[in-house]
Amino acid sequence: MVLSRGARWVAGTVTAVCLMLLLGSGAPSGVVPHAVVDAVPERVGTWNICNPCGGLGQDFGRAREIAARAPQVIGLQEACVRDVEEIRRYLKEVYGLVYRVEYGSVLRSWNRCGGLPWRPGGFGQAILSAAPMTDRVSVEYPDGGSEDRGYLAVTTLVGGRPVRVFNTHLAERRQPQVRAGQVRVLAAEVARHDRAIVLGDFNAVPDAPELGPMWALAADADPACGPAAEGAGACAPTTDWNSTFDYVFLRGITPRTHRVHPGPYSDHHLLLTDLNRS
């Protein structure tokens, strides 16, 4: 049966409305499904997406924040597998952004991530990359503190060149001695690579003593930020409580730009860096 022009318009409108409903009521008006966005090859980011900070439309909102900047690689912390899969689905279906994913789950938590009581969801780190990833390593720290913590590492392309990318979440802020042990484990692995990007929520301000081994190996993506900069306010806050806890550490790579993007979908801000290709 051949539909008239008017019937085709009605059918197309109904299809678009149904798609937006399937995408969730958190979808903003005016978004055109399948509008293609290209990842920026030299852009990397980190974001503690703060699960369980849930709420209707959270995953769509997170996808929208990522798509608006389209990093080549982004590390997510406090990430449930099911939330990351929803974010990836929205990124692909709405924006045409196709990301590979690797997970570094350190917990199986029904309370945090849902799932069947005997098959709870994975919780921890995730890395999204527009390019393929290889040599995945997921390590749980010997002492996680009040909650299991770890790091995830992969090799992928950033700015057209291979680089080792780490993503971590350290022990909560009242446990500096635990974080010190975790940093020693992480730094020992980072030191094996001439070119490395270390993303994550370190739960520590730049002048915290436990971050010393990281500063000895790598520089922050913000050239003004360093272990002596917190008192002067040189480091941009990355949390709702005006502390700098999130970092893009660079080893053997230089930054071009550095931006912090506050938003409503987490108590941590999305942190992005464009890198020089040389």
Side-chain angles (χ1 to χ4, degrees):
M1 181 178 65
V2 179
L3 297 177
S4 67
R5 181 178 179 182
R8 289 196 302 269
W9 182 88
V10 171
T13 302
V14 170
T15 300
V17 170
C18 289
L19 178 56
M20 296 306 293
L21 289 173
L22 286 172
L23 291 173
S25 60
S29 61
V31 171
V32 180
H34 306 290
V36 176
V37 177
D38 293 325
V40 181
E42 64 276 9
R43 182 169 296 165
V44 298
T46 185
W47 195 10
N48 182 325
I49 59 175
C50 193
N51 184 80
C53 291
L56 196 60
Q58 288 284 74
D59 288 336
F60 185 91
R62 291 163 182 157
R64 180 178 56 190
E65 293 293 306
I66 293 170
R69 286 92 189 180
Q72 174 79 0
V73 172
I74 185 167
L76 304 176
Q77 304 88 43
E78 292 200 63
C80 286
V81 170
R82 67 172 186 174
D83 288 335
V84 175
E85 290 305 306
E86 282 295 282
I87 290 168
R88 290 179 67 221
R89 181 170 72 88
Y90 293 138
L91 286 167
K92 180 180 179 180
E93 293 181 0
V94 180
Y95 302 100
L97 273 169
V98 178
Y99 282 104
R100 287 86 169 174
V101 64
E102 291 290 353
Y103 291 103
S105 298
V106 292
L107 287 174
R108 295 288 168 182
S109 176
W110 183 83
N111 288 333
R112 282 188 178 272
C113 298
L116 298 173
W118 56 91
R119 193 177 179 183
F123 177 80
Q125 288 73 246
I127 294 176
L128 303 184
S129 174
M133 292 176 277
T134 61
D135 304 318
R136 170 192 174 273
V137 173
S138 181
V139 174
E140 186 174 330
Y141 293 124
D143 183 0
S146 58
E147 180 180 83
D148 293 345
R149 298 289 166 91
Y151 74 80
L152 171 66
V154 301
T155 298
T156 189
L157 295 179
V158 177
R161 296 185 61 188
V163 63
R164 194 65 171 164
V165 178
F166 295 81
N167 182 21
T168 192
H169 185 196
L170 300 189
E172 64 99 13
R173 71 183 83 174
R174 297 176 184 84
Q175 299 176 316
Q177 294 305 314
V178 176
R179 287 197 301 275
Q182 294 171 347
V183 171
R184 286 193 293 270
V185 171
L186 176 64
E189 184 61 27
V190 174
R192 297 179 58 244
H193 302 274
D194 294 331
R195 284 172 46 84
I197 301 170
V198 186
L199 311 168
D201 173 5
F202 284 72
N203 268 321
V205 294
D207 61 351
E210 63 267 27
L211 294 190
M214 283 305 308
W215 290 118
L217 287 172
D220 188 71
D222 181 356
C225 186
E230 178 71 6
C235 300
T238 65
T239 65
D240 284 353
W241 55 93
N242 293 319
S243 291
T244 303
F245 276 8
D246 306 88
Y247 300 88
V248 175
F249 284 110
L250 302 174
R251 177 172 169 84
I253 305 168
T254 58
R256 191 171 76 248
T257 63
H258 174 271
R259 296 176 300 280
V260 177
H261 299 277
Y265 303 106
S266 173
D267 58 359
H268 287 252
H269 307 334
L270 174 59
L271 175 62
L272 292 166
T273 297
D274 286 355
L275 307 176
N276 288 317
R277 294 199 176 198
S278 60

